[in-house]
Amino acid sequence: MGLYLTSGFLKMKSEKISELTTNRLSVYLRCLNTLSAAGIKSISSQALAEQFNLNSAQIRKDLGYFGEFGVRGVGYYVEDLRQHITKILGLDKPHRVGIVGAGRLGTALANYKGFGRSNFSVVALFDNDEEKIGRRVGEDKLLIHDVKKMPRLVNDEAIDVMVIAVPARVAQKVLNQVTSAGIKAVLNFAPASLSTRLDVKVKTVDLTTSLESLSYFLVRPQVSSITNHKRKTQTEELSEINEHEL
């Protein structure tokens, strides 16, 4: 249940890692980036948790899936742990992103500069609207391609991640086109439940559902209060788990 180095390659025993764990790894990496920028060289799991409102037991458990990274009496070396998590998440290599749907959302995502900080770069936009095809958008003057050319562009531009930013009614059709072009990782912004092959990972960001969930807590503030109290209690219990303290 660990990760070790052999001939420069990372190896992990076959164990299914939950998406919640990988999501938290991304959060830890962001925290470590902040610490590194501040010149912090090492930090304990407890100090990391307190500074960024995390859970120290959860941090140790999540990292434990991939190896032993802490040093007793020191904690984690920030730069070393940053590099390990970057490699675990596959962010040590650049990812080239395509976006299907050159509407307001698609063009806004194409113009978003934050992707570059995580080694993602948007290299192509696709649409089926003849009035949009051939236009260039954003500071980088990204060309909008005919969606029919997607298979060729995926190959020519080495695209390995595709974003779907189209209306829900056509999202499944677009996903089928995307997977047929050889894409295995898809970020879907369409408010639709999509199905695909087992070897393709689709992650859906449903803004409307998130807002409706927030609305629920706005009209029931006592529920929010109870939920927060329970979360605090669970955190306290986890903190008391008998694990190695760093």
Side-chain angles (χ1 to χ4, degrees):
M1 202 172 99
L3 176 151
Y4 50 92
L5 290 174
T6 303
S7 303
F9 292 95
L10 288 168
K11 292 186 177 181
M12 186 177 66
K13 291 182 180 179
S14 57
E15 179 175 350
K16 185 172 177 58
I17 304 299
S18 74
E19 191 168 335
L20 287 174
T21 298
T22 59
N23 287 345
R24 287 192 295 267
L25 287 180
S26 179
V27 173
Y28 303 156
L29 180 58
R30 193 175 309 139
C31 297
L32 291 166
N33 288 338
T34 300
L35 293 172
S36 178
I40 306 299
K41 301 300 182 184
S42 64
I43 191 168
S44 68
S45 59
Q46 188 62 42
L48 183 63
E50 290 175 357
Q51 186 164 342
F52 295 100
N53 195 29
L54 302 172
N55 180 280
S56 59
Q58 188 68 65
I59 293 171
R60 294 192 296 274
K61 181 179 179 181
D62 289 337
L63 294 178
Y65 287 120
F66 303 94
E68 296 294 332
F69 302 110
V71 177
R72 185 171 294 278
V74 176
Y76 301 114
Y77 288 109
V78 170
E79 193 56 38
D80 287 348
L81 189 56
R82 278 184 70 221
Q83 292 179 11
H84 280 303
I85 295 180
T86 296
K87 195 167 291 188
I88 290 168
L89 291 174
L91 299 176
D92 53 326
K93 298 177 182 178
H95 293 283
R96 296 170 68 80
V97 180
I99 299 175
V100 185
R104 291 179 180 177
L105 177 58
T107 53
L109 291 170
N111 289 325
Y112 177 58
K113 300 301 180 185
F115 292 136
R117 291 193 291 271
S118 295
N119 225 358
F120 292 88
S121 58
V122 179
V123 297
L125 266 169
F126 300 95
D127 208 287
N128 63 354
D129 187 340
E130 293 184 358
E131 294 185 2
K132 295 178 181 177
I133 295 170
R135 287 174 44 201
R136 293 185 180 273
V137 299
E139 295 179 10
D140 297 331
K141 303 297 181 183
L142 208 60
L143 182 65
I144 300 175
H145 300 274
D146 190 330
V147 72
K148 294 177 182 177
K149 297 181 179 180
M150 187 193 303
R152 178 174 63 82
L153 266 296
V154 164
N155 182 66
D156 291 351
E157 295 289 344
I159 296 171
D160 60 350
V161 177
M162 196 70 75
V163 176
I164 294 178
V166 300
R169 67 180 182 278
V170 295
Q172 184 63 59
K173 177 182 178 181
V174 168
L175 176 60
N176 295 342
Q177 291 176 296
V178 166
T179 55
S180 294
I183 295 295
K184 298 294 181 68
V186 180
L187 182 62
N188 170 47
F189 279 90
S193 179
L194 305 179
S195 59
T196 189
R197 306 192 312 262
L198 290 175
D199 62 336
V200 176
K201 176 62 179 178
V202 178
K203 191 174 181 68
T204 295
V205 179
D206 193 330
L207 300 177
T208 300
T209 298
S210 297
L211 288 171
E212 289 173 351
S213 178
L214 286 173
S215 175
Y216 172 83
F217 285 102
L218 280 176
V219 297
R220 293 174 176 80
Q222 72 279 5
V223 174
S224 177
S225 176
I226 293 171
T227 303
N228 289 334
H229 174 72
K230 287 182 178 179
R231 184 178 298 126
K232 181 179 179 181
T233 302
Q234 290 166 353
T235 299
E236 291 171 347
E237 289 175 353
L238 283 169
S239 297
E240 294 172 359
I241 293 176
N242 184 23
E243 294 184 8
H244 288 297
E245 289 291 341
L246 297 173

